[in-house]
Amino acid sequence: MTAHVLMLSSSREGDEAYLTHAKARILAHLGDIRDLVFIPYAAVTQSYDSYVDAVASALPECNVVGLHTFDDPVAAIHNASENGHAIVVGGGNTFHLLHSLYRFALMVPLKHAICNGVPYVGWSAGSNICGQSIRTTNDMPIIEPPSFDALEVVPFQINPHYTDYHPPGHNGETRDQRLAEFTTLNPEIPVVGIREGSALLLSGSTLTLVGEKSGFIFQGNNKTPVQPEQDLTELLNRAD
């Protein structure tokens, strides 16, 4: 497997401008590639065109083209490697994103492209779909995809925007409680919580938490801290 995948927790950190914290890391991840096929299907309340424009404005060094503008989206993904394109998937609603990927028959082409080394960058929903399934997304299920099964780039669950902050007076479940519900029913499946400003980097057979913030691995009843730049490759080799 020659996967080259950057899974960002978020498009923003704090109150900074769009993709500011991630820009240098994205460009480094892309290497010499500057032609990006952007998948905007996580957008719901904004148009796909405006979403592409926002990404293009944040990454002026790159040529950003929305997948929705191709006459044959499947071919665009299939031919990404020979055309020297990278694939970028933005945030929004994960259920809508996955529903659209199934609708347009893009799941298998995406898996093949990633396995063949086409650089992939995702944030938020775009990172969620890199896990086994989207069952640990934070999003509301506004639409029902044919399956919750995702790209399975990594053999575990991802929880972007992870936070352990509990607002005073808030009586709803905390993020930890929601993740505990998943790990109680699925004790064999790890969930990696990544804070805003951090990312998971998969390079070939190596997985690393990058950025300056710690994260956590949730599995069964255990919550294990993960330090910045920690090697997490053992998660790639776990038995199902």
Side-chain angles (χ1 to χ4, degrees):
M1 182 176 180
T2 57
H4 191 52
V5 180
L6 179 63
M7 296 162 275
L8 297 154
S9 176
S10 58
S11 60
R12 290 184 174 89
E13 183 179 12
D15 57 0
E16 68 179 13
Y18 193 58
L19 292 177
T20 296
H21 83 277
K23 180 177 176 179
R25 194 174 298 281
I26 290 172
L27 295 178
H29 181 74
L30 294 173
D32 294 331
I33 294 177
R34 291 294 180 266
D35 291 324
L36 312 183
V37 176
F38 180 69
I39 300 179
Y41 300 144
V44 177
T45 58
Q46 66 174 323
S47 72
Y48 292 162
D49 287 341
S50 65
Y51 199 176
V52 172
D53 289 344
V55 175
S57 295
L59 300 173
E61 299 85 353
C62 299
N63 175 38
V64 184
V65 181
L67 184 61
H68 66 294
T69 65
F70 286 84
D71 292 333
D72 189 342
V74 170
I77 298 300
H78 179 74
N79 297 326
S81 180
E82 63 184 78
N83 290 334
H85 294 164
I87 297 169
V88 179
V89 185
N93 186 276
T94 307
F95 291 92
H96 192 267
L97 170 60
L98 191 63
H99 178 273
S100 299
L101 294 178
Y102 275 110
R103 175 188 175 190
F104 298 121
L106 289 165
M107 292 294 287
V108 172
L110 274 172
K111 289 181 182 182
H112 286 170
I114 292 169
C115 285
N116 289 332
V118 174
Y120 177 102
V121 178
W123 54 86
S124 192
S127 295
N128 260 319
I129 61 170
C130 291
Q132 281 191 325
S133 78
I134 65 166
R135 288 179 292 163
T136 51
T137 178
N138 308 311
D139 301 333
M140 184 175 290
I142 61 172
I143 194 168
E144 184 176 359
S147 171
F148 289 162
D149 291 344
L151 295 174
E152 298 183 271
V153 175
V154 291
F156 52 82
Q157 296 289 126
I158 301 173
N159 182 245
H161 301 280
Y162 172 76
T163 178
D164 47 14
Y165 175 67
H166 190 188
H170 178 68
N171 295 309
E173 286 80 0
T174 65
R175 184 72 58 84
D176 282 19
Q177 288 172 318
R178 289 302 192 195
L179 294 178
E181 292 174 343
F182 177 88
T183 57
T184 296
L185 295 180
N186 306 275
E188 75 286 0
I189 303 177
V191 182
V192 180
I194 49 177
R195 299 184 189 272
E196 293 185 348
S198 63
L200 294 172
L201 175 62
L202 175 63
S203 182
S205 59
T206 301
L207 180 71
T208 309
L209 176 69
V210 295
E212 299 180 353
K213 295 183 178 179
S214 61
F216 292 94
I217 299 173
F218 299 83
Q219 186 167 10
N221 295 321
N222 298 318
K223 177 183 179 182
T224 305
V226 178
Q227 300 307 314
E229 306 304 322
Q230 183 171 331
D231 188 332
L232 300 176
T233 303
E234 63 180 17
L235 288 175
L236 302 177
N237 304 318
R238 71 174 190 85
D240 290 325

